[in-house]
Amino acid sequence: MGSHGLFQHGGEKEHHQFSSRPRCKISDNWPGYSLDLFTYPQHYYGDLEYVLIPHGIIVDRTERLAKDIMQDIGDNDIVVLCVLKGGYKFCADLVEHIKNLSRNSERFISMKVDFVRLKSYHNDQSMQDMQIIGGDDLSKLTGKNVLIVEDIVGTGRTMKVLLNNIEKYKPKMIKVASLLVKRTSRPDGYRPDYYGFEIPDLFVVGYALDYNEHFRDLNVSVFTKSLFYFFGVS
């Protein structure tokens, strides 16, 4: 299945005011791909609605993000902070693409990869008390070039808190890459420096994105999850 199908039928390229690069936007009326066209674990039959983004398109888009990152911050040493758990698959693939491009380029990125987990309460008042678990001492980021890799950004509140925490240690540069960005009702919603796809406000699983630790084994494509699952029907 060619990489152009998604954008011809249901998506469009969009320019945002904060960047001159084209962005991949999946429209609200994009019907997705039928589950019958793909294979997925039998124990999830009935839990999924359709394939939103097939694996091949994710691979192609991730490679392009790697190229953009190389163009922007090549010839630098960077610390990649992967936000677990959902970000591990995208992070691994993105780092591998950057390494491959770096080997065949006059520009070179030396990368150190570290992992963090974010833990916060669900009410807005306690967002500022978010805990950053794991990773090296964040004070070691002082003067460093930091690339945060996340799976999905919704309202962006959590990412803003993480950025504020890291900025206290005065890194030389901070960039954020996310596989997905959800369109939300907030016009001032945060947007990362690099992202693969802007999607409608849907609940998605697959490619390491989960629902209560389920669906992580859908590790190749991004699916939309059936709403029946929320109500315990599936």
Side-chain angles (χ1 to χ4, degrees):
M1 184 171 295
S3 298
H4 300 289
L6 177 62
F7 309 116
Q8 288 175 346
H9 292 291
E12 62 190 38
K13 289 185 175 180
E14 181 182 65
H15 288 265
H16 293 270
Q17 60 182 2
F18 55 84
S19 174
S20 61
R21 289 195 175 107
R23 303 286 175 168
C24 296
K25 177 180 176 181
I26 299 176
S27 65
D28 290 338
N29 61 355
W30 165 238
Y33 293 97
S34 170
L35 294 172
D36 294 336
L37 298 172
F38 301 87
T39 59
Y40 58 98
Q42 187 173 356
H43 55 272
Y44 290 138
Y45 284 15
D47 295 335
L48 305 170
E49 290 186 308
Y50 56 86
V51 177
L52 184 69
I53 313 174
H55 180 237
I57 296 175
I58 296 174
V59 171
D60 289 350
R61 182 69 182 129
T62 303
E63 185 174 9
R64 178 54 198 246
L65 292 180
K67 181 179 179 180
D68 291 343
I69 292 170
M70 278 288 299
Q71 290 175 343
D72 291 347
I73 57 178
D75 298 326
N76 282 288
D77 296 337
I78 64 174
V79 177
V80 177
L81 279 184
C82 175
V83 180
L84 296 174
K85 298 179 182 177
Y88 79 86
K89 178 67 174 170
F90 174 56
C91 183
D93 290 348
L94 181 65
V95 166
E96 190 62 28
H97 280 302
I98 294 174
K99 286 181 179 179
N100 290 336
L101 290 171
S102 186
R103 293 189 193 104
N104 299 300
S105 172
E106 294 180 357
R107 309 186 74 189
F108 180 77
I109 293 183
S110 174
M111 291 180 293
K112 175 187 175 184
V113 181
D114 207 347
F115 302 90
V116 295
R117 290 185 64 182
L118 308 179
K119 182 178 181 180
S120 63
Y121 297 102
H122 295 296
N123 57 75
D124 292 340
Q125 288 73 26
S126 60
M127 283 294 294
Q128 297 299 325
D129 297 325
M130 181 181 68
Q131 291 180 284
I132 303 175
I133 304 171
D136 288 342
D137 182 357
L138 293 182
S139 65
K140 295 181 180 179
L141 299 179
T142 301
K144 300 293 180 62
N145 298 299
V146 180
L147 176 66
I148 300 172
V149 180
E150 175 69 288
D151 56 351
I152 187 167
V153 172
T155 63
R157 290 196 302 258
T158 301
M159 182 54 67
K160 286 180 180 178
V161 174
L162 175 60
L163 288 170
N164 288 336
N165 273 274
I166 294 177
E167 285 170 356
K168 294 176 184 177
Y169 299 98
K170 301 186 183 305
K172 181 179 178 181
M173 177 195 72
I174 306 178
K175 298 287 187 181
V176 179
S178 179
L179 174 65
L180 304 174
V181 169
K182 281 189 180 182
R183 281 193 296 279
T184 66
S185 59
R186 295 181 59 192
D188 60 339
Y190 169 80
R191 288 293 183 269
D193 303 281
Y194 311 95
Y195 61 86
F197 306 90
E198 180 185 307
I199 66 172
D201 191 9
L202 301 169
F203 199 99
V204 293
V205 293
Y207 203 70
L209 284 80
D210 76 300
Y211 173 71
N212 288 341
E213 296 300 324
H214 296 288
F215 303 100
R216 289 200 195 277
D217 50 335
L218 295 169
N219 62 359
V220 289
S221 301
V222 172
F223 298 75
T224 56
K225 189 168 70 61
S226 172
L227 291 177
F228 288 117
Y229 201 96
F230 287 114
F231 300 103
V233 176
S234 295

